[in-house]
Amino acid sequence: MFDFDQYLGFLAFMTIATIGFWLMIFLLTFVVPYWIGGSIMEMIKEKREAKKQAQEELK
């Protein structure tokens, strides 16, 4: 059915595909939401500081 080198090639392909699959799952469930949440928090802080500065200038 398979020669030994074909079997090794198939195993290498399956290993790379599996690693890629789990990497995509990890990135989509943890890294991307953390990145988006952090940038939203940073944007809120910047708006809050700009609002504080504008109120201090009015005094």
Side-chain angles (χ1 to χ4, degrees):
M1 183 170 153
F2 278 127
D3 289 338
F4 187 69
D5 55 345
Q6 288 178 326
Y7 178 69
L8 286 179
F10 176 72
L11 282 180
F13 170 76
M14 288 305 294
T15 302
I16 292 168
T18 304
I19 289 171
F21 172 75
W22 287 114
L23 179 64
M24 287 300 296
I25 295 295
F26 172 73
L27 289 175
L28 291 175
T29 57
F30 294 108
V31 175
V32 173
Y34 181 77
W35 180 30
I36 292 172
S39 60
I40 289 172
M41 293 287 285
E42 193 69 27
M43 188 174 58
I44 290 171
K45 283 181 186 177
E46 288 175 3
K47 285 184 179 181
R48 208 179 281 160
E49 288 175 7
K51 191 175 182 181
K52 219 181 258 187
Q53 278 186 346
Q55 284 187 358
E56 287 179 5
E57 290 176 359
L58 290 176
K59 291 182 180 179

